Amino acid sequence: MGDQHETHNRISQSTIHGNVFMGGVLTLMGGRRPRLRLLIAVLSVLALLGAGTTYWALTATEGGKGPELGAHYDPEHADADSTTVVPRVVKPTDPPAVTGCEAARTWAHAQGGTDVGASPLSVSMVGNGHTVAIEQVRATIVGEPRDPLSGTVVDCAGQGEGKKIDMGVDLDSPNPVALIGAAGPVSFAPYFTDKYLYLEDRKPEIVSLTVLATRHSYDYVLTVEGTVDGKRRTWTLKDGGRPFHVSGVRRESGTELSTHGRGWETSYGTGSGERIRCNPCYDQDQQEIPGTTVAVAPAGYSFPSKPGYQPGDPIAPPKDRPTAQTPPLTVDG
C-alpha cells in the first residue's frame, strides 16, 4: 500500500479522445479524504469540458447549423421593369431624383407601395455541409384574394441583366408552382419536371423569382420542398415574420407616374403592371431557353401577348381623367 499520504491513481478499460475520458474505471489507492474529493472534482470538470468540446466538434463537422433558406423583395432583380402602387395621391414635390429602376422601386416601397402584376423576389439557399436537393418551389396563398389595389402607380422601365436562376410563380393559377423564367418574362412551363436544384456546401444558390398576379391581390408565403441527407424537408419562407403581398392589375384608367431614367412623367393608363408571358422564352443573348415551349397556353390567358381575364369577365369602363393633384413634370396627350 505504501505511505498512507501517497495516492496511486489507475485508470483501466478506457479510451481517451481529446480531453474526454470515455468509460473506464477509476481506482483510488489510499490517500486522505480531502485529496480524494479534490481529485474527483478535477476529473469531473475535465470530463465535462471534454464532453462539451467533443460535442461542439462533432456538431461543426456534421453540419449542425443546417441548410439556410431565405427570401426577400429584391430591388436589384434581373427584371429591371417594375410597377408599384402607392396607396395615396403623390404630390409634385414627393418623388426624389432617380437614376435607375432600383432607386425608383426602393422609394416606392418606402412609401408603403405594393408591387403590381409581378413582384420580384430573391431566394437564397445554401447547404451548409449537407446534401440538399430542392424538388419544388411553390407559392401558398394566405387568406382570401382581394381586388387590385388603388392609388398612384409608379412605373420604371430599364434593361435587366440575367445573372441568377430565373423562375416565376403565377398566383392566378390553381397550382402556383415554379415556372421556367427568363430575365423578366415567365413561361408556362414548370421548372421542376425532370431535374432538381442541388445546393453546394458553402456556395449560396440565388434564384430570381417573379411572382405574377393579374386578377386579384394576394398575401402569400413561399414553400420550398426537398430533401436533406435523404430525408424529406419543407421550408416556409416569409417577409420577416409576415406574408409577402402583391397587387393585381386594375382594368380602369388611373394615374401612372413613370421614369425611364430621364426624369418623371405623368400619364393615365389602364392595365399597368400586366406582364407578357413568353412561349418560348429567350435569354439575354436572344437564345431560346430549352424547355420553355408549351403547345397551348392555359385557359384564361390572351396568349401569346398578355395574361388576361376569362372570356366574358366584366371589365370596368375607363374612368374620366382624374381631377386630383398628380405628380407633374410631363403629362402625355
Side-chain angles (χ1 to χ4, degrees):
M1 295 290 293
D3 190 281
Q4 63 176 349
H5 299 295
E6 184 179 351
T7 300
H8 300 275
N9 302 330
R10 185 174 72 249
I11 299 175
S12 61
Q13 302 174 9
S14 298
T15 57
I16 300 177
H17 297 276
N19 297 324
V20 183
F21 294 94
M22 304 297 292
V25 179
L26 173 64
T27 305
L28 300 176
M29 304 296 292
R32 295 177 177 176
R33 288 187 179 275
R35 229 178 252 188
L36 172 63
R37 295 194 187 99
L38 177 61
L39 180 60
I40 292 175
V42 170
L43 291 176
S44 298
V45 170
L46 287 175
L48 289 173
L49 288 174
T53 303
T54 302
Y55 174 79
W56 176 85
L58 290 174
T59 301
T61 56
E62 293 178 6
K65 191 174 183 180
E68 293 181 274
L69 284 77
H72 62 273
Y73 294 109
D74 187 4
E76 298 180 353
H77 194 271
D79 177 15
D81 293 343
S82 65
T83 305
T84 306
V85 58
V86 177
R88 61 181 174 83
V89 173
V90 178
K91 297 179 181 179
T93 56
D94 288 346
V98 295
T99 57
C101 287
E102 177 184 348
R105 180 181 294 154
T106 301
W107 174 79
H109 273 248
Q111 309 307 307
T114 300
D115 294 325
V116 177
S119 186
L121 303 184
S122 183
V123 181
S124 61
M125 312 175 186
V126 62
N128 282 334
H130 294 269
T131 301
V132 182
I134 303 301
E135 300 176 359
Q136 187 58 268
V137 176
R138 69 176 69 244
T140 302
I141 296 171
V142 178
E144 293 295 325
R146 303 178 303 278
D147 292 336
L149 303 177
S150 59
T152 301
V153 172
V154 180
D155 179 74
C156 180
Q159 182 63 40
E161 296 181 4
K163 55 184 177 181
K164 304 174 183 177
I165 298 173
D166 289 298
M167 297 184 194
V169 171
D170 183 2
L171 293 178
D172 293 325
S173 168
N175 185 27
V177 298
L179 306 170
I180 300 176
V186 176
S187 76
F188 296 95
Y191 186 93
F192 295 97
T193 50
D194 55 357
K195 60 178 176 289
Y196 302 102
L197 180 59
Y198 289 98
L199 305 185
E200 298 183 23
D201 182 10
R202 303 296 174 186
K203 175 181 174 294
E205 202 70 71
I206 306 297
V207 174
S208 283
L209 183 67
T210 302
V211 180
L212 302 175
T214 300
R215 302 182 183 120
H216 303 284
S217 297
Y218 301 94
D219 292 330
Y220 65 95
V221 298
L222 298 179
T223 303
V224 181
E225 302 167 3
T227 60
V228 178
D229 300 331
K231 297 180 180 179
R232 302 293 309 172
R233 179 76 179 272
T234 300
W235 296 267
T236 300
L237 309 183
K238 300 180 180 180
D239 176 25
R242 303 168 299 178
F244 294 98
H245 54 273
V246 62
S247 173
V249 177
R250 296 188 68 86
R251 307 305 296 177
E252 67 271 15
S253 285
T255 306
E256 182 173 325
L257 177 66
S258 60
T259 178
H260 299 269
R262 58 177 183 270
W264 295 101
E265 299 177 356
T266 303
S267 60
Y268 301 94
T270 181
S272 300
E274 196 169 29
R275 288 305 175 96
I276 295 175
R277 302 291 289 273
C278 49
N279 182 36
C281 295
Y282 295 88
D283 60 22
Q284 294 291 318
D285 298 322
Q286 298 304 310
Q287 300 296 314
E288 181 177 332
I289 299 176
T292 56
T293 302
V294 298
V296 180
Y301 292 94
S302 53
F303 180 78
S305 56
K306 295 182 178 181
Y309 288 78
Q310 294 278 4
D313 281 356
I315 297 179
K319 291 182 177 179
D320 294 334
R321 185 185 181 93
T323 56
Q325 185 181 31
T326 57
L329 288 195
T330 303
V331 178
D332 66 4

